[in-house]
Amino acid sequence: MADGREAIKSTDRVDGTATPKVRFEGVSKEFASRQGAKTRTVRALDDVSLSIREGEVVTLTGMSGCGKTTLLRVLMGLESATSGTVYVNGTPIDGPGKDRAMVFQHAELFPWRSALANVEFGLELRGIRSAERHEIAGRYLRLVGLDESQHLRPYELSGGMRQRVGMARALAIEPDVLLMDEPFGALDAQTRETLQSELLRIHAGDNRTILFVTHDLDEAVLLADRVVMMAPNPGRIHAIVDVDLPRPRPDAVELRASAEFGRIRAHLWRLLQEANSGADASQGVGDRR
Amino acid sequence: MSQQSARGRARVPSPGSRRLVNALAAIVVGIVVLVLWQIVGSRVSPIAMSYPTAVFKEALALIGDGSLGAAFLSSISSFVPAYLLAIVVGVPVGLVVGRYRLVEAGFGPYITAGYATPLVALIPLFIVWFGTGYTVKVAVVFTLTVFPILINTWRGVQAVPRTLIEVGESFGASQAEIMRKIIVPGTMPHIMTGLRLGVGRAVIGMVIAEFFTAVTGLGGIIINAGNSFDTARMFVPVIVVLLFGIILTWLVGLAERRLAPWHAAMSGGR
Ligand SMILES: Nc1ncnc2c1ncn2[C@@H]1O[C@H](COP(=O)(O)OP(=O)(O)O)[C@@H](O)[C@H]1O
Ligand SMILES: [Mg+2]
């Protein structure tokens, strides 16, 4: 067991000279939160540095409140960092951009639009003609396995179908980086596993760069090339774990049953406990950065 | 087993048959009221109450000499432009007030005050400004109607989930695109509620304006008949106004189901 930690190295290097797809450089984020009459500052992110290679899937995990959503929103450009810089393709970001797209925790579809029209949303904003838009949106609905429900409105779709539409909407604009905030967290276990497999299949097809937030350690290992474990108060990176499971990963069931999967998962579990107990004493253990 | 029988009893009838039953209930109540009105009304002084057959006779007379039709046209000639103007002003202003915090801070209190003020009390002032002709009627109907439309639109904008606006932002939508593609459709159910409430206020405004300015239209027939104690005649335009309001409200409801079908479905409404 003790050799497990050595085998799973923490890496944050970028191979060769290629610019990383995404680079967080000393990113901190503070919120002013009001408590009665006083305002208190919450340090949601504390000096986070992380690089993500092209085509890499990085999962972000850790207990609730450790800044996962905040990190994603800063990358999306929905929040601006208090200090530090986020680079996408080597260029510092300034607000949302067409190189990034987000899949939201609760899908957040437009209730007045059909599934197809929801997927067309980002394409409309790019001024793509309606015939071409239909064609592209239809293609992405097919990709997520929903082409037969394209005319249904969100309230007529199940939770899993809504998340599929949300994924299609984000994928349709063909972003360089796909951001996903616990997109399967509210689904039942079977639907979640189906969608995990679909995401693996889609990634095997387009090799897109993905930053995926989850509090489910199984999910974190299954999807990732690297798992980033965050620690709370203040939100920071506690450890980064390489997942050297082969890709493509067409059989999630077999993968879950493998010894390597179990080993990484157990290691993450220990890191999670370490991250949370070390939160108050702020004493780093092991490979804390 | 008892559970099963309970479920059997609670079984919902088909929408068609339920609608038929509802309509029958309304018709039965209506007939009972008419019969009671006829019995009681024909036993008391015709000035105090009148009764259905007398009202019906007066209706035929007013239709026959064309005065009812002319009065109706006169009434809606101020009603329709005023109501449309209230939409054209109320909806955009409501959208802007709801969307921009500073505009809301500046105008919000006065809009709320305007909604709460008994605007009918301002009619004498309106007469000073606009005279007693056509313009003042449009002004009165507009003023009464614009506030419910404006306020409902304003509240509706604030009810659009923040997260949906963030979806727009994340896809790089401009402020104008967020307004057009997210705020407006998201607010549509509230706008339609405003239009529905606006119908009631506009009808009241129309009749009151006809009472207190130049006596014309349906309100004019009401007040003239009332002044000459011709109660049966007075009821005819009252019923026309009533039907007019009901039909318009129904039309707005129809438009609502077309423009915001997701809303009824989501709120489990009818
Ligand atoms: N808009 C905000 N205003 C104030 N505090 C916030 C805001 N968003 C997040 N926070 C705080 O920042 C911390 C991290 O939150 P979040 O990123 O949502 O965590 P996670 O997604 O890991 O659960 C929490 O303490 C949370 O209360
Ligand atoms: Mg979160």
Side-chain angles (χ1 to χ4, degrees):
Chain A
M1 292 295 161
D3 57 353
R5 188 165 297 170
E6 282 156 46
I8 304 163
K9 296 188 305 286
S10 162
T11 53
D12 186 21
R13 280 176 272 104
V14 176
D15 299 330
T17 53
T19 24
K21 207 73 193 164
V22 174
R23 188 153 66 95
F24 295 91
E25 200 178 82
V27 171
S28 300
K29 175 71 188 178
E30 290 183 347
F31 290 107
S33 82
R34 185 162 295 149
Q35 286 190 330
K38 300 184 286 226
T39 40
R40 211 168 54 91
T41 359
V42 176
R43 205 162 167 79
L45 293 174
D46 182 43
D47 191 23
V48 171
S49 294
L50 174 72
S51 291
I52 304 174
R53 291 185 300 271
E54 169 145 32
E56 191 179 21
V57 180
V58 171
T59 54
L60 208 55
T61 191
M63 77 178 286
S64 173
C66 65
K68 306 181 295 291
T69 296
T70 306
L71 190 64
L72 217 60
R73 287 171 59 85
V74 168
L75 173 56
M76 189 62 246
L78 292 172
E79 307 275 4
S80 55
T82 309
S83 64
T85 316
V86 183
Y87 300 88
V88 174
N89 294 320
T91 315
I93 62 158
D94 176 25
K98 306 189 192 260
D99 47 4
R100 285 151 285 151
M102 180 104 136
V103 180
F104 291 81
Q105 190 165 5
H106 301 288
E108 307 300 350
L109 304 182
F110 300 115
W112 52 88
R113 285 175 175 246
S114 68
L116 188 75
N118 263 287
V119 179
E120 285 181 48
F121 180 74
L123 304 169
E124 275 171 38
L125 296 178
R126 301 190 160 189
I128 296 172
R129 286 174 306 104
S130 116
E132 193 182 347
R133 241 169 31 216
H134 290 328
E135 191 272 312
I136 299 172
R139 184 147 42 85
Y140 280 96
L141 273 182
R142 250 188 324 280
L143 181 69
V144 298
L146 262 191
D147 46 328
E148 269 158 33
S149 313
Q150 58 175 326
H151 296 299
L152 297 184
R153 290 241 166 77
Y155 61 84
E156 298 168 302
L157 302 172
S158 69
M161 290 159 100
R162 275 181 227 158
Q163 276 307 351
R164 287 170 193 262
V165 177
M167 278 165 60
R169 180 174 65 183
L171 287 168
I173 65 164
E174 306 194 338
D176 289 342
V177 188
L178 188 63
L179 287 67
M180 306 178 82
D181 189 2
E182 304 198 21
F184 310 148
L187 305 177
D188 62 86
Q190 271 165 312
T191 310
R192 190 184 317 145
E193 287 185 15
T194 314
L195 282 175
Q196 287 163 353
S197 298
E198 302 254 327
L199 183 62
L200 282 171
R201 176 180 58 77
I202 291 167
H203 180 259
D206 64 10
N207 202 37
R208 201 176 300 281
T209 311
I210 299 175
L211 183 56
F212 188 108
V213 170
T214 177
H215 59 250
D216 176 344
L217 295 183
D218 267 358
E219 185 170 78
V221 178
L222 180 71
L223 299 175
D225 295 306
R226 282 187 298 158
V227 181
V228 175
M229 176 64 69
M230 294 186 71
N233 300 319
R236 61 198 188 275
I237 293 180
H238 177 71
I240 301 177
V241 175
D242 288 341
V243 179
D244 288 322
L245 298 168
R247 279 193 195 272
R249 302 172 183 172
D251 192 344
V253 178
E254 192 182 316
L255 200 64
R256 275 198 173 85
S258 73
E260 179 69 359
F261 187 97
R263 202 171 62 81
I264 300 170
R265 199 197 175 291
H267 180 53
L268 280 174
W269 175 247
R270 282 191 299 272
L271 285 175
L272 179 68
Q273 287 177 319
E274 203 179 86
N276 297 335
S277 62
D280 305 311
S282 82
Q283 40 168 281
V285 190
D287 36 12
R288 186 197 160 205
R289 302 166 29 85
Chain B
M1 212 176 125
S2 65
Q3 205 182 358
Q4 207 166 23
S5 68
R7 200 181 299 147
R9 230 181 306 136
R11 198 168 58 197
V12 183
S14 77
S17 74
R18 196 171 48 186
R19 215 173 303 147
L20 191 71
V21 168
N22 290 351
L24 271 176
I27 289 168
V28 167
V29 170
I31 289 173
V32 168
V33 167
L34 282 177
V35 168
L36 283 176
W37 183 13
Q38 179 77 23
I39 293 169
V40 177
S42 54
R43 259 149 239 255
V44 300
S45 147
I47 295 171
M49 209 159 161
S50 190
Y51 45 91
T53 48
V55 173
F56 186 69
K57 223 181 289 166
E58 280 295 335
L60 289 182
L62 280 170
I63 293 167
D65 69 5
S67 53
L68 189 66
F72 180 71
L73 285 180
S74 160
S75 288
I76 63 168
S77 75
S78 56
F79 178 97
V80 171
Y83 185 74
L84 294 180
L85 193 65
I87 297 174
V88 168
V89 172
V91 171
V93 172
L95 289 172
V96 170
V97 171
R99 184 79 179 120
Y100 300 101
R101 202 160 293 214
L102 200 60
V103 180
E104 180 179 28
F107 291 92
Y110 302 103
I111 294 167
T112 310
Y115 188 50
T117 306
L119 295 166
V120 174
L122 296 180
I123 288 181
L125 186 64
F126 275 48
I127 293 174
V128 173
W129 290 346
F130 301 111
T132 57
Y134 175 73
T135 320
V136 74
K137 295 190 171 81
V138 174
V140 169
V141 175
F142 169 80
T143 312
L144 274 164
T145 314
V146 76
F147 285 103
I149 293 178
L150 199 164
I151 286 195
N152 276 281
T153 307
W154 169 19
R155 298 282 176 243
V157 171
Q158 295 176 329
V160 175
R162 238 230 74 69
T163 47
L164 289 185
I165 295 167
E166 285 187 341
V167 172
E169 286 168 356
S170 77
F171 280 97
S174 66
Q175 280 299 307
E177 285 166 331
I178 286 175
M179 182 59 97
R180 194 155 43 84
K181 290 179 185 291
I182 298 170
I183 305 286
V184 171
T187 307
M188 198 51 82
H190 287 81
I191 294 178
M192 298 313 291
T193 303
L195 296 196
R196 197 141 28 79
L197 296 175
V199 166
R201 303 254 299 195
V203 168
I204 293 169
M206 174 182 84
V207 174
I208 287 182
E210 287 166 346
F211 283 0
F212 293 118
T213 65
V215 173
T216 58
L218 295 168
I221 299 181
I222 296 174
I223 206 124
N224 286 332
N227 285 343
S228 54
F229 304 106
D230 192 346
T231 308
R233 189 182 169 89
M234 195 192 83
F235 268 112
V236 177
V238 168
I239 290 167
V240 172
V241 167
L242 192 81
L243 290 177
F244 181 61
I246 290 172
I247 289 170
L248 271 186
T249 305
W250 173 75
L251 281 176
V252 173
L254 215 62
E256 182 170 2
R257 253 162 287 153
R258 282 208 69 119
L259 291 172
W262 77 91
H263 191 249
M266 280 204 316
S267 48
R270 291 84 113 59

